[in-house]
Amino acid sequence: MQRSSLLVLGALMVLSACASCSTTGAGGEKQLPDGCDALVEPGEEAYTELLTALMDATPGTTVCLSAGIYNFIDELSISGDGVMLRGASRDATILDCTNQTIGANGVKISGDDVTITALTVKDTPGDGIRGDEVKNITYDDVAVIWTDKESTGNGAYGFYPVGCDGVTIRNSLVVGARDAGIYVGQSKNVLVEDSEAHGNVAGVEFENTTDAVVRRVHAHDNTAGILIFNLPGLPVQDGKRTLAYDNIVENNNVANFGE
């Protein structure tokens, strides 16, 4: 908790040895880190290599990213089932979407049983990480950050699962969303825990969602802290049975910078 965007950004220049860095064997061949089925390192071909690895992935595959900054101009798509995308750490592996021109999201998930862990998605023009009508998606130790403070040019949502069955968000951080940092809409069986949201219009938002838990979340210095409600006119109605407890909700007095 209490890990700010300044800490994450300051760590960009300190990219030291990590669990997902490649090693070289005695014969000079590249060896994969433990638990990795494919490894992508920063460079001009990183996006193509990563997209290819994800497209080739079969259920149970872990695609790893080494420490470094990945400059992407296209939305990254994860369409396979049972895939894990794993960085070196949240502070060390940065997907920088500042110059993105293609796609509405930084990362789009359309496969079931997908996990994203140990990385940061930065300055997306649209939503940070989106998943539509998928099952069992997990964000663990992930950050979505916009570096411009309180800007209408920032993306609307950090985490944006919609119409999903089984959502887990833990040990994660969202800063700067012009709508909601951690958003879950029209979904069921949801757990959000041990995370932080600040500098957003809404820190955490559950909308028309059923059987959800939000706990041990620090929502601070947003316009609103934690919102749990039903809206009319949506395909899924009558959200219910949300438990919110052991959260710290404070200093949510930022002027509304949403459209």
Side-chain angles (χ1 to χ4, degrees):
M1 307 297 284
Q2 300 286 355
R3 298 172 72 182
S4 69
S5 59
L6 290 177
L7 174 62
V8 173
L9 295 175
L12 296 182
M13 302 304 294
V14 188
L15 304 176
S16 57
C18 60
S20 289
C21 291
S22 62
T23 59
T24 302
E29 73 280 4
K30 182 186 293 185
Q31 295 185 344
L32 294 173
D34 290 343
C36 297
D37 299 295
L39 179 67
V40 177
E41 298 178 315
E44 293 183 0
E45 301 300 320
Y47 177 84
T48 301
E49 293 173 2
L50 177 55
L51 190 61
T52 299
L54 291 170
M55 292 177 65
D56 290 344
T58 57
T61 295
T62 297
V63 178
C64 292
L65 294 169
S66 293
I69 300 174
Y70 296 77
N71 295 295
F72 290 166
I73 62 171
D74 291 7
E75 175 183 277
L76 182 66
S77 176
I78 304 177
S79 57
D81 295 340
V83 176
M84 174 181 286
L85 178 61
R86 190 184 94 191
S89 75
R90 196 169 88 187
D91 295 342
T93 299
I94 314 296
L95 308 188
D96 189 339
C97 302
T98 302
N99 298 315
Q100 182 177 328
T101 57
I102 301 172
N105 315 280
V107 181
K108 174 68 179 294
I109 300 171
S110 54
D112 295 337
D113 302 298
V114 169
T115 296
I116 298 180
T117 185
L119 56 81
T120 288
V121 177
K122 174 175 170 282
D123 287 335
T124 61
D127 302 324
I129 306 175
R130 178 171 181 144
D132 289 283
E133 299 181 351
V134 296
K135 295 180 179 179
N136 303 323
I137 57 174
T138 298
Y139 312 91
D140 190 353
D141 194 29
V142 175
V144 176
I145 292 172
W146 287 273
T147 52
D148 286 345
K149 185 177 180 180
E150 299 171 19
S151 172
T152 57
N154 293 348
Y157 300 95
F159 301 124
Y160 193 57
V162 180
C164 298
D165 183 356
V167 176
T168 300
I169 301 170
R170 62 164 58 95
N171 301 321
S172 293
L173 168 71
V174 181
V175 181
R178 62 174 170 81
D179 196 315
I182 299 173
Y183 171 94
V184 183
Q186 303 178 72
S187 298
K188 59 185 178 180
N189 301 316
V190 176
L191 173 62
V192 176
E193 63 181 1
D194 301 312
S195 295
E196 181 180 4
H198 67 86
N200 311 284
V201 171
V204 179
E205 181 176 324
F206 285 3
E207 181 180 89
N208 297 54
T209 287
T210 293
D211 293 323
V213 173
V214 53
R215 63 189 179 192
R216 300 189 301 274
V217 169
H218 191 190
H220 64 97
D221 298 288
N222 307 284
T223 301
I226 297 178
L227 309 179
I228 302 168
F229 56 80
N230 290 323
L231 285 183
L234 295 177
V236 176
Q237 292 289 306
D238 193 27
K240 51 189 175 287
R241 295 191 300 273
T242 290
L243 300 178
Y245 59 91
D246 289 344
N247 301 292
I248 299 174
V249 185
E250 59 183 349
N251 298 325
N252 292 289
N253 302 303
V254 171
N256 186 348
F257 61 94
E259 294 180 355

